[in-house]
């Protein structure tokens, strides 16, 4: 049965996850010698996972198929924006842009400083906000509060405690019009969110079987 437990293999090579991210550094690799946008995204993602495996559930970035599946279910009216939670190294961000969402209408919230710097450099037209998703109302410019067409979540909600889930979801629905979707993916067979406790209607929208590991996308609404 698929789970949200992280693996320890990156591009066919095994790395020890003990110690700091620095202890896992391949010989001859100097991440600080280049600009953030030029850093190898797989290696950056692995380093940030090693530093905080709870916040980053997978050891590798999401596959393009997962990004496309999520983008397929995004709704955005002409006067609305899309917000992505946890940009990582931009796999889902790229899929959202490729689907036709203008960079000026895409906001990404990332709390990891290294990933924030990478995303800011890689996607100069996208607004990348440094902060916690539970503060979405204060992070977004005031004119966009209530004008978020869809929230696309890339953080491992299934690993987040119930009370923290409640806070995140209350804030998410405070910035979206009524009836809009919160999209989340998981490597588990079960819903990543506690639907009954959070007063949500939700269903599995599809599987990205080519993702490693395979991931399901769920869509949630709150009346």
């Amino acid at each position: 049965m698929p789970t949200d437990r992280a693996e320890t293999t990156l591009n066919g090579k095994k790395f020890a996850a003990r110690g700091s991210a620095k202890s896992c550094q391949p010989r001859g690799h100097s991440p600080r010698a280049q600009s953030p946008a030029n850093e190898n995204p797989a290696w950056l993602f692995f380093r940030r996972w090693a530093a905080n495996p709870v916040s980053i559930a997978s050891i590798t970035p999401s596959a393009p198929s997962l990004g496309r599946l999520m983008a397929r279910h995004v709704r955005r009216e002409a006067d609305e924006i899309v917000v992505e939670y946890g940009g990582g190294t931009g796999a889902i961000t790229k899929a959202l842009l490729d689907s036709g969402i203008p960079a000026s209408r895409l906001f990404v919230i990332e709390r990891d400083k290294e990933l924030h710097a990478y995303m800011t450099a890689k996607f100069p037209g996208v607004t990348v906000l440094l902060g916690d998703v539970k503060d979405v109302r204060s992070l977004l410019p005031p004119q966009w509060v209530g004008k978020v067409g869809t929230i696309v979540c890339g953080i491992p909600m299934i690993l987040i405690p119930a009370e923290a889930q409640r806070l995140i979801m209350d804030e998410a629905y405070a910035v979206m019009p009524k009836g809009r979707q919160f999209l989340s993916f998981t490597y588990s067979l079960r819903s990543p969110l506690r639907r009954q406790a959070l007063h949500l209607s939700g269903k599995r929208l599809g599987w990205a079987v080519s993702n490693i590991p395979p991931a399901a996308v769920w869509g949630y609404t709150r009346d």
Side-chain angles (χ1 to χ4, degrees):
M1 180 182 296
T3 67
D4 281 81
R5 179 170 56 86
E7 302 296 332
T8 55
T9 302
L10 179 64
N11 295 334
K13 297 181 181 180
K14 290 188 176 181
F15 295 86
R18 291 175 293 180
S20 67
K22 183 177 180 180
S23 66
C24 301
Q25 183 171 304
R27 184 177 301 172
H29 185 83
S30 178
R32 301 303 182 194
Q34 53 191 344
S35 69
N38 292 329
E39 185 165 355
N40 182 287
W43 173 243
L44 173 60
F45 202 88
F46 173 76
R47 287 197 299 103
R48 301 320 301 151
W49 171 85
N52 195 349
V54 174
S55 293
I56 303 175
S58 174
I59 199 170
T60 57
S62 301
S65 60
L66 176 56
R68 289 192 297 268
L69 178 57
M70 298 192 85
R72 195 179 308 153
H73 294 280
V74 168
R75 175 183 173 183
R76 183 192 70 85
E77 302 300 331
D79 61 342
E80 295 176 343
I81 63 172
V82 173
V83 175
E84 180 185 358
Y85 283 4
T89 53
I92 293 175
T93 308
K94 183 178 185 303
L96 294 173
L97 294 171
D98 289 346
S99 74
I101 297 171
S104 62
R105 293 301 177 97
L106 180 56
F107 287 67
V108 179
I109 300 176
E110 176 57 62
R111 72 176 186 178
D112 184 287
K113 290 183 179 180
E114 284 195 52
L115 293 175
H116 173 268
Y118 176 86
M119 289 286 293
T120 300
K122 185 174 181 180
F123 300 102
V126 173
T127 302
V128 186
L129 304 168
L130 179 62
D132 196 297
V133 297
K134 66 180 177 58
D135 301 318
V136 60
R137 269 195 286 185
S138 59
L139 288 171
L140 287 177
Q143 68 268 27
W144 296 120
V145 174
K147 290 286 189 177
V148 178
T150 307
I151 291 177
V152 179
C153 183
I155 62 178
M157 294 298 294
I158 201 169
L159 301 180
I160 295 175
E163 198 51 44
Q165 277 196 4
R166 183 183 304 279
L167 178 58
I168 290 171
M169 299 311 295
D170 286 349
E171 290 299 300
Y173 288 107
V175 300
M176 290 191 289
K178 188 176 180 179
R180 298 307 182 85
Q181 281 199 115
F182 180 96
L183 302 176
S184 183
F185 73 86
T186 180
Y187 308 127
S188 175
L189 292 176
R190 65 184 175 91
S191 169
L193 290 170
R194 299 162 174 84
R195 287 169 288 180
Q196 185 174 358
L198 297 171
H199 307 290
L200 302 175
S201 298
K203 63 180 180 179
R204 187 185 295 114
L205 301 176
W207 281 92
V209 294
S210 62
N211 195 75
I212 302 176
V217 173
W218 285 72
Y220 301 91
T221 58
R222 178 182 282 178
D223 295 330

